[in-house]
Amino acid sequence: ARPCQIRPLDLVFIIDSSRSVRPGEFEKVKIFLSDMVDTLDVGETTTRVAVVNYASTVKIEFYLKTYFNKADMKQAIFRISPLSAGTMTGLAIQTALDSAFTVESGARPKIMNISKVAIIVTDGRPQDKVQDIAAQARAIGIEIYAIGVDRADLQSLKLMASHPLEDHVFYVETYGVIEKFTSKFKETLCAGLDICALGNHGCEHICVNAQGSYFCKCHPGFTLNADKKTCSKEVRAVITVENPCKCESLVAFQKNVNTIIQTLHGK
């Protein structure tokens, strides 16, 4: 898949591996994570990824600072094992907040203005409270996407997710079709893509964003060349047109002046 050249992210996946997620289904989750990594522009200065695995306990599988290349990251994803019983989603969000989204763990400092995003994947109802901790995460600027599968509790997803909910809450019938979310997530995250700000658009004068794409414009007095990137100064032919009224106006003016002069002499 072509990397999604969106703004750089500190992205943390929070995945449910409780007993209700069968072994074959958990493999689907790992394939989903791997596909998501493929769509992202992963790197130290671009998008960093961490994975928080949870059931009744929580385990950070790897941190934002652990891997900066896709191959190693995907190998680590496929090595993840389920944790079995329980669905402590609130504890998982708390752990992400306390241990995964920290500068020590590889998150970029606030001054760098790197978007913080959490994607929660669950098929159950949280056994602890999620509302307050999710609100706390959102309040410090973490954007939360909640993906519910099969038996997932929709109300809990809504309590966790960022607003507008229609852009941040997703439901899929089975883990077998979770990959549907990959393209949807990319579309949602790339919708506000500022290609012009990325600086590699090639426009000589003005770059204009347009629905995930862009076009070039020129300053006044210039025209866009056939390459749709560069600009050339407009060449305007100067044509002198004789004003047919000019002579008549001059004659009329001279007559007026003569009349005034004669009047003055008469006095």
Side-chain angles (χ1 to χ4, degrees):
R2 180 178 172 270
C4 178
Q5 293 185 340
I6 54 176
R7 62 193 185 278
L9 304 174
D10 285 335
L11 173 61
V12 176
F13 290 100
I14 302 174
I15 56 170
D16 177 358
S17 66
S18 56
R19 189 172 291 143
S20 60
V21 184
R22 300 175 186 90
E25 293 175 332
F26 194 65
E27 288 304 309
K28 295 284 187 185
V29 174
K30 293 196 282 188
I31 292 169
F32 162 67
L33 296 185
S34 176
D35 288 347
M36 285 292 293
V37 166
D38 273 335
T39 71
L40 298 165
D41 185 10
V42 169
E44 186 173 359
T45 60
T46 50
T47 290
R48 299 182 181 186
V49 178
V51 175
V52 175
N53 184 12
Y54 79 96
S56 56
T57 58
V58 180
K59 179 185 179 186
I60 299 180
E61 297 290 347
F62 56 85
Y63 293 92
L64 292 168
K65 67 180 180 181
T66 308
Y67 302 111
F68 296 136
N69 71 82
K70 293 185 180 185
D72 290 345
M73 189 178 288
K74 288 166 69 174
Q75 284 182 11
I77 286 169
F78 284 110
R79 287 197 298 267
I80 296 173
S81 300
L83 296 172
S84 196
T87 312
M88 302 296 284
T89 312
L91 179 61
I93 298 172
Q94 182 77 63
T95 303
L97 218 54
D98 295 343
S99 304
F101 277 113
T102 62
V103 173
E104 294 77 19
S105 296
R108 267 70 63 94
K110 192 172 183 179
I111 195 170
M112 292 182 68
N113 202 28
I114 303 292
S115 299
K116 312 287 187 218
V117 176
I119 300 178
I120 302 169
V121 183
T122 181
D123 75 339
R125 178 188 297 272
Q127 294 175 329
D128 55 0
K129 296 194 181 301
V130 295
Q131 187 170 5
D132 290 347
I133 187 58
Q136 186 182 329
R138 295 194 303 267
I140 62 170
I142 296 173
E143 186 175 7
I144 301 178
Y145 290 82
I147 309 175
V149 185
D150 191 14
R151 303 164 289 271
D153 177 52
L154 187 59
Q155 187 57 34
S156 296
L157 300 177
K158 290 179 178 178
L159 290 175
M160 291 186 281
S162 295
H163 289 258
L165 293 177
E166 59 266 25
D167 291 336
H168 294 88
V169 175
F170 298 88
Y171 175 81
V172 291
E173 299 82 5
T174 66
Y175 281 101
V177 293
I178 197 171
E179 71 274 2
K180 288 198 302 188
F181 178 71
T182 309
S183 57
K184 183 63 182 172
F185 175 77
K186 183 177 175 182
E187 178 187 308
T188 301
L189 220 54
C190 290
L193 176 61
D194 186 352
I195 295 177
C196 295
L198 294 174
N200 59 355
H201 46 76
C203 296
E204 185 179 2
H205 284 189
I206 303 166
C207 177
V208 181
N209 286 302
Q211 296 181 334
S213 186
Y214 71 98
F215 62 90
C216 301
K217 283 177 65 177
C218 298
H219 296 308
F222 292 81
T223 54
L224 196 62
N225 293 327
D227 62 6
K228 302 295 183 185
K229 300 271 188 183
T230 59
C231 301
S232 296
K233 195 167 182 62
E234 290 178 358
V235 179
R236 295 182 180 178
V238 179
I239 302 171
T240 304
V241 179
E242 190 66 44
N243 186 349
C245 301
K246 191 174 180 182
C247 294
E248 292 178 0
S249 299
L250 184 57
V251 170
F253 175 75
Q254 288 173 338
K255 282 183 179 180
N256 286 337
V257 171
N258 287 336
T259 303
I260 292 167
I261 292 172
Q262 287 171 3
T263 303
L264 291 172
H265 281 295
K267 289 182 179 177

